[in-house]
Amino acid sequence: MNELNGIDMVKPAAVKNGYRNGLSKENKESQEPLRGVAVVGLGYWGPNWVRNFQQGQFARRIVACDLDETRRKHVSQLYSDLETTSRFEDVLSDPDIEGIVVATPVSTHYKMARRALEANKSVLVEKPLSTSSQEAQELLDLARERKKILMVGHTFEYSAPVLKMREIIASGELGDVFYVSSVRANLGLFQRDVNVTWDLATHDISIILNLMGGRMPEAVSCQGESHYGNGIEDVAMLTLRFERNIIAFVHVSWLDPDKIRRTTVVGSRKMLVYDDLATQEKIRIYDKGVTAQKYYDTFGDFQFSYRYGDIQIPRIEEREPLRCECEHFVKCIRTGATPTTDGANGLRVVSVLEAANYSLRRGGLMVPLGRALR
């Protein structure tokens, strides 16, 4: 393990298995399509999984499962060779189905994933993995027991800009990381079974833990509010405290008039801004900083020295992250490689969310990550 700039950089599982950043190289074994894959849940995000599996030709058969006949018909009209069913049992008992994607409401993730693993199917669960660390640990243990792939849909960990950010931080270009600030806001989409933290902050927590080299925060706090009387918070602010005085802030909202997807990383040498909504130049590196005089004799010497340098825009070759994720899932099933966003990765994110929720119910209490949460 190498220590770079105050962060213990741990190679992702994908790197350990001989290919970089979860993107596979061309080889017969990993590129062989699966016999069959199923996507369970055809609401907001499920059809995107169907599209990528179909366009990538990652499986000979693709089965789409949803209770809603209207949704099944809609997706069937888009892809003529798609098979559909309203019965999850049909998917579980189908011998050709090697992998199942669970894209159902968050409250059902644990139950659906557990049934898939018990049926000896590899499973990719949309974020978050579950609604408690205990459930996440049970799924992780079951996957290991059955020797099946358990992967979590932390899509941004397959995003070229996020991977580039991690590379820049690891290189030492920013210097020591001081803090990370993320904003993920828009008007809607409201969820019925989880609050805005479990819905939106999952992405940012996943990104921040990735940038921190897999290190967990020492403590988490969260404040938020529900403005529609349903008890489900629609705006929240999380604080994650790491070792070496590194702090991260995550602001999430379903009530913002502007759609914002921005992450700022401030270092001792340079600063970085990642704007996911930018059509070009998603990452900008600012050669800006502050220098304090170690010794001073006059008030003038006491003043901080501010540095304003050039702006660097690194070149990024983008590819749809969901396509990379589909390809990675198939390769892991084929080769037995550990997914970049495996069950342990999902457990870490759920643990932070669980601590944030605990804090939220207690007025923003700073919660050590090691304590038992209820």
Side-chain angles (χ1 to χ4, degrees), residues 142-158:
L142 181 59
R144 288 171 174 167
E145 175 188 324
R146 297 299 177 102
K147 295 182 172 56
K148 293 298 175 182
I149 298 299
L150 173 62
M151 184 167 155
V152 189
H154 294 155
T155 307
F156 282 93
E157 295 197 45
Y158 300 87

Side-chain angles (χ1 to χ4, degrees), residues 240-252:
L240 284 64
R241 291 189 174 275
F242 292 85
E243 292 178 347
R244 305 185 183 101
N245 296 324
I246 301 174
I247 192 168
F249 304 100
V250 178
H251 170 54
V252 287

Side-chain angles (χ1 to χ4, degrees), residues 24 117 144 217 223 309 317:
S24 61
L117 290 170
R144 288 171 174 167
Q223 291 181 307
E317 293 185 8

Side-chain angles (χ1 to χ4, degrees), residues 219-239:
V220 176
S221 68
C222 180
Q223 291 181 307
E225 192 58 70
S226 170
H227 294 90
Y228 285 90
N230 56 6
I232 298 177
E233 289 80 9
D234 41 52
V235 60
M237 173 67 81
L238 293 78
T239 301

Side-chain angles (χ1 to χ4, degrees), residues 141-142 258 293 338 352:
D141 293 341
L142 181 59
D258 296 321
Q293 299 295 329
T338 301
V352 175

Side-chain angles (χ1 to χ4, degrees), residues 91-104:
V91 172
L92 297 177
S93 62
D94 191 327
D96 283 340
I97 300 299
E98 298 180 76
I100 296 175
V101 174
V102 175
T104 55

Side-chain angles (χ1 to χ4, degrees), residues 117 127 161 205 237 254 276:
L117 290 170
K127 58 85 183 171
I205 293 168
M237 173 67 81
W254 289 327
D276 189 56

Side-chain angles (χ1 to χ4, degrees), residues 177-251:
V177 174
F178 287 164
Y179 75 86
V180 181
S181 176
S182 288
V183 181
R184 189 170 300 270
N186 52 262
L187 190 58
L189 298 162
F190 281 76
Q191 303 296 322
R192 297 179 179 179
D193 58 341
V194 292
N195 63 24
V196 69
T197 302
W198 285 86
D199 179 38
L200 295 184
T202 305
H203 289 306
D204 300 283
I205 293 168
S206 171
I207 292 170
I208 290 168
L209 296 187
N210 183 285
L211 298 182
M212 294 295 112
R215 282 175 50 205
M216 289 288 283
E218 294 181 321
V220 176
S221 68
C222 180
Q223 291 181 307
E225 192 58 70
S226 170
H227 294 90
Y228 285 90
N230 56 6
I232 298 177
E233 289 80 9
D234 41 52
V235 60
M237 173 67 81
L238 293 78
T239 301
L240 284 64
R241 291 189 174 275
F242 292 85
E243 292 178 347
R244 305 185 183 101
N245 296 324
I246 301 174
I247 192 168
F249 304 100
V250 178
H251 170 54

